[in-house]
Amino acid sequence: MNNQVNILSGGLVFSGSSAAIDLNSAGDGNTINNAGTVSSASGGAILGSANQDIVINSGTILTGASTAVDLKDGSDVFELRAGSNITGWVLGGNGTDTLRLGGTANGTFDLDTFGAGLQFREFEALEKTGSSTWTLTGTTPDAGTMNIQAGNLIVNGTMPNVATTVSGGTLGGNGAIGDLTVLSGGRVAPGSFGSLVVYGNTTFNAGSTYAISVNAAGQSDKIAAVSATLNGGTVAVTTLAGAYSASTQYTILSTTTGLTGSFASVTISGYNPQFFTSALSYDGFSVFLTLNYNTAAFSTVAQTQNQKAVAGALSAFGPNLPFLSSFAGQSDAQLRYNLDQLSGEAATGAQQGAFQFTSQFLGLMLDPFVSRRGGPGTGPGDTALGFNPERTALPADIALAYNKVLGAPPAKAPAFAERWTAWGAAFGGTNRTSGDPVVIGSHDLSARAGGVAAGADYHFSRDAIVGFALSGGGTRWDLAQAIGGGKSEAIQAGVYTAVRTGPAYFAASLAVANHWMSTDRFAPFGNQLTAKFDAQTVGGRIEGGYRFATPIGGLTPYAAAQAQALRTPTYSETDLAGSGFGLTYRGRTASDTRSELGARFDRTTLVSPNAVLTLRGRAAWAHDWVSDPVLNAAFQALPGASFIVNGATPAKDAALASAGADLKFSNGIALSAKFDSEFAARSTTYSGTASLRYAW
């Protein structure tokens, strides 16, 4: 009783004239576990007892006779595992005997070998255990039962008289079985969009699962039965990638004589499960699954403010969204990036470059750092816009340096002669502003602006200047993560004036600009969207200060105010591929008002008998009341589906630092260069200017 025989891999049990293993007189509960070889030259290799015997075979069983295994009496179990190789018949004998498919390794069993007169005979039951996957092929007419307890059983063969119960594990395949009963914990999953045929009644009980796959072409796995009894259970749907219609219906279970009851619920997984809503319907003979593919889940996928704004616009349009099917098969991360692309955020960068372009021009017309188009010792117009007093008030060392250049007596002021100054300059700068990727969803912005300018000013008197200037150039901006960008070509004109009273000065400039702008961005799936439009900028700057002479140079505290406005029209993108992703942007006016408080420094040195070098510096604090880069956009293909998109927020407070130099010659020619920088919490700006001027 309870005899245990283990034959390890490589082991051999051999008999030349009788059974290799004979349990004829053994008691109940005998187990033979063979991973090696059991062989008999002239008799059955294994003979069972009159009681229950269990044979587990993953090795080789050989016989020189016709019968390899005869389990004789009792309710015996013969378990096949992967690697099993048997020559001869396997007989269950009397009693209720089970042919079991088990183990952890996968295997295949041919039903053509199962049944009366075949290799595996006298078995009343089939059973699947273990975590392995076994595939059934072939056909058997034998009647019996199959109990699937664990792992996977793929029925690709035919056993129409075998009633199958799934109590655990999974039944799959596109073959045929007898009655089907799925208990709590059991799972049925036909495969490859075929049909599992049931030659009898199909019963799903509470806690069971019917798992199917569906595609965009309307195909699904299914069960074709004679009848069906549905006592609950879950339909678990896996969606495969594809371009789904707004609504697709699938027949997932059909009968020839009718069905009763219903499933309890539906779950959806796979590709874009968020975009599907499901419904089951019944007509008395079939079960239908309807999947509606819609935009309802865009908002659940979206995380940032920009993403939610776009998602809201798409969701509001409903399941008839023209390009909805394009998003099939994407992960949540891909969908979020697509929402970023759809937002049109690239257009919000236009104002940063435009403000930077005009701001440099306004300063260029005024800033004595760079554009000191008159200078000490050149005559009545030699003021540096208030940064240097008249020669009679200069410190002795500076006055002596100028007088050596000009050959004038130290105490005699020069005649008021040089009334005109002409100048030309090149300027450019770059800005980087960090976005808010977590809350707003804006991306880092890189903006560049540059150009050339030329002008002339006229000295009405020693203390008053008025001038005009023209400038041409352009801007460029780009957003991080390849969201898009744009550029502009621009021309601007300006006027300026400066008045001095002793060491005090006041200066002002005014400019207008026209930008021929264009944007270029990629929408989802490589669709390119472009736009062209004109925009206008108006800006002005006023500045005043008072210079104090010190032993090491001049120190000039100053205050300035600057205001700009950028007007962009309502315009639409060109959708080159006809994707339906193109946007229309509503016109708006953005503004930037800046206040500055700081100090300038200058020091003059004679570098040759005919040249004077002035070094200059600036340190200041600036506060901007600047419009957030916000646009109201709408999808051209979706009338009424508008939303707000936000760009990287400009810095409100910044530290300003500048360094420059002027080199002035006695013949009226002067060269200047300057470097400016701005530092803020989420933004940095660097710019430079070089100029040439001539006074006469």
Side-chain angles (χ1 to χ4, degrees), residues 305-306 345 348-349 351-352 431-437 439-445 479 624-630 645-653 680-684:
Q305 185 174 323
N306 280 349
E345 184 193 346
T348 65
Q351 77 174 49
Q352 182 65 37
N431 167 271
R432 182 167 182 87
T433 302
S434 299
D436 180 357
V439 179
I440 295 177
S442 56
H443 293 73
D444 292 352
L445 170 68
L479 270 62
D624 286 83
W625 294 268
V626 58
S627 301
D628 288 338
V630 176
V645 59
N646 296 269
T649 304
K652 301 298 191 295
D653 294 279
R682 301 185 321 278
S683 177
T684 55

Side-chain angles (χ1 to χ4, degrees), residues 188 190 194-196 202 204 210-214 218-225 230 234-237 248-255 259 263 265-266 279-282 285-291:
V188 176
S195 296
L196 177 64
T202 294
F204 280 92
Y210 179 28
I212 60 171
S213 296
V214 301
Q219 296 175 304
S220 72
D221 303 326
K222 61 183 68 69
I223 293 174
L230 307 178
T234 298
V235 178
V237 180
T248 308
Q249 188 177 80
Y250 307 87
T251 302
I252 62 173
L253 191 154
S254 62
T255 67
L259 62 83
F263 289 104
S265 61
V266 180
L280 294 176
S281 57
Y282 310 83
F285 289 89
S286 299
V287 180
F288 304 100
L289 168 70
T290 301
L291 291 184

Side-chain angles (χ1 to χ4, degrees), residues 266-541:
V266 180
T267 64
I268 302 176
S269 62
Y271 290 89
N272 286 11
Q274 311 94 326
F275 292 96
F276 292 97
T277 58
S278 62
L280 294 176
S281 57
Y282 310 83
D283 67 357
F285 289 89
S286 299
V287 180
F288 304 100
L289 168 70
T290 301
L291 291 184
N292 295 314
Y293 191 55
N294 56 50
T295 60
F298 272 119
S299 296
T300 64
V301 173
Q303 291 182 334
T304 67
Q305 185 174 323
N306 280 349
Q307 291 170 359
K308 290 177 181 178
V310 177
L314 297 177
S315 297
F317 202 76
N320 294 320
L321 188 65
F323 44 77
L324 177 62
S325 59
S326 302
F327 294 98
Q330 293 192 329
S331 66
D332 286 358
Q334 289 173 314
L335 288 170
R336 292 186 189 108
Y337 182 67
N338 288 160
L339 291 174
D340 287 338
Q341 290 182 306
L342 289 172
S343 72
E345 184 193 346
T348 65
Q351 77 174 49
Q352 182 65 37
F355 285 156
Q356 185 175 334
F357 184 70
T358 298
S359 181
Q360 280 197 266
F361 184 55
L362 290 170
L364 180 65
M365 291 188 286
L366 292 187
D367 198 342
F369 270 170
V370 176
S371 303
R372 196 161 57 87
R373 288 169 290 281
T378 63
D382 66 357
T383 66
L385 300 190
F387 276 73
N388 291 292
E390 297 180 10
R391 290 183 57 208
T392 56
L394 286 173
D397 58 338
I398 299 177
L400 180 61
Y402 285 139
N403 291 330
K404 285 182 179 180
V405 174
L406 300 172
K412 183 179 179 181
F416 181 56
E418 295 179 350
R419 290 182 176 272
W420 287 97
T421 301
W423 56 272
F427 63 92
T430 180
N431 167 271
R432 182 167 182 87
T433 302
S434 299
D436 180 357
V438 177
V439 179
I440 295 177
S442 56
H443 293 73
D444 292 352
L445 170 68
S446 298
R448 300 173 293 282
V452 294
D457 42 62
Y458 180 75
H459 300 257
F460 284 100
S461 69
R462 181 184 302 275
D463 300 321
I465 302 172
V466 67
F468 69 92
L470 294 174
S471 174
T475 67
R476 175 79 197 186
W477 67 92
D478 294 285
L479 270 62
Q481 294 185 306
I483 295 299
K487 62 182 180 179
S488 76
E489 297 176 351
I491 187 169
Q492 51 190 345
V495 294
Y496 54 94
T497 186
V499 178
R500 186 189 66 177
T501 302
Y505 78 95
F506 172 81
S509 60
L510 178 68
V512 294
N514 191 81
H515 300 264
W516 290 270
M517 290 188 166
S518 62
T519 61
D520 190 354
R521 66 184 180 96
F522 282 101
F525 320 114
N527 292 293
Q528 188 175 12
L529 304 171
T530 62
K532 293 184 178 181
F533 58 95
D534 292 350
Q536 295 75 40
T537 303
V538 177
R541 180 181 176 89

Side-chain angles (χ1 to χ4, degrees), residues 106 114 166 186 273 583:
N106 300 338
F114 180 80
V166 186
L583 297 174

